[in-house]
Amino acid sequence: MTTKTGRAKPLSPEERRTAILDAVIPLLVERGAAVTTSEMAEAAGIAEGTIFRVFPDKNALLHAAIGKTLDPEPIVAALAAINGSAPLQDQLAEAAQILSARYEKTTALIGMARSMP
């Protein structure tokens, strides 16, 4: 059994930004813009001040989350990774699942954006 001591390896600003967004987006989908930066930091496993070293304010973080969610590249990659030798029905079911999850996430965050000042 190993004991973890000291701080974690520091992340580059872009890695930190991505890690924060990856942790915060599911929270935003679930709770919307009313979620606090304290709750976001807890979800990301960081101090609240760390958010503001990466994003100038909460609105910037929310806009970045929307932008990341609307980025088509992860969906294109997920669809391309579907096993082309699987039965067509299985391929279509997997594609439908990928697209449905994207739709739910996108509509939740667009709804959140509409409620933002």
Side-chain angles (χ1 to χ4, degrees), residues 8 11 15-27 35-51 54-55 61:
L11 299 175
E15 290 171 323
R16 174 66 64 200
R17 177 183 173 84
T18 299
I20 291 170
L21 289 172
D22 288 346
V24 167
I25 288 172
L27 187 61
V35 68
T36 66
T37 54
S38 176
E39 293 166 324
M40 292 177 189
E42 184 179 329
I46 57 173
E48 188 173 2
T50 302
I51 289 173
V54 179
F55 300 96
L61 191 156

Side-chain angles (χ1 to χ4, degrees), residues 23-76:
V24 167
I25 288 172
L27 187 61
L28 294 173
V29 168
E30 180 184 324
R31 306 230 352 256
V35 68
T36 66
T37 54
S38 176
E39 293 166 324
M40 292 177 189
E42 184 179 329
I46 57 173
E48 188 173 2
T50 302
I51 289 173
F52 299 110
R53 285 196 277 289
V54 179
F55 300 96
D57 55 34
K58 180 180 173 183
N59 249 6
L61 191 156
L62 297 177
H63 285 278
I66 293 166
K68 182 174 172 89
T69 300
L70 294 177
D71 178 9
E73 185 56 38
I75 297 304
V76 170

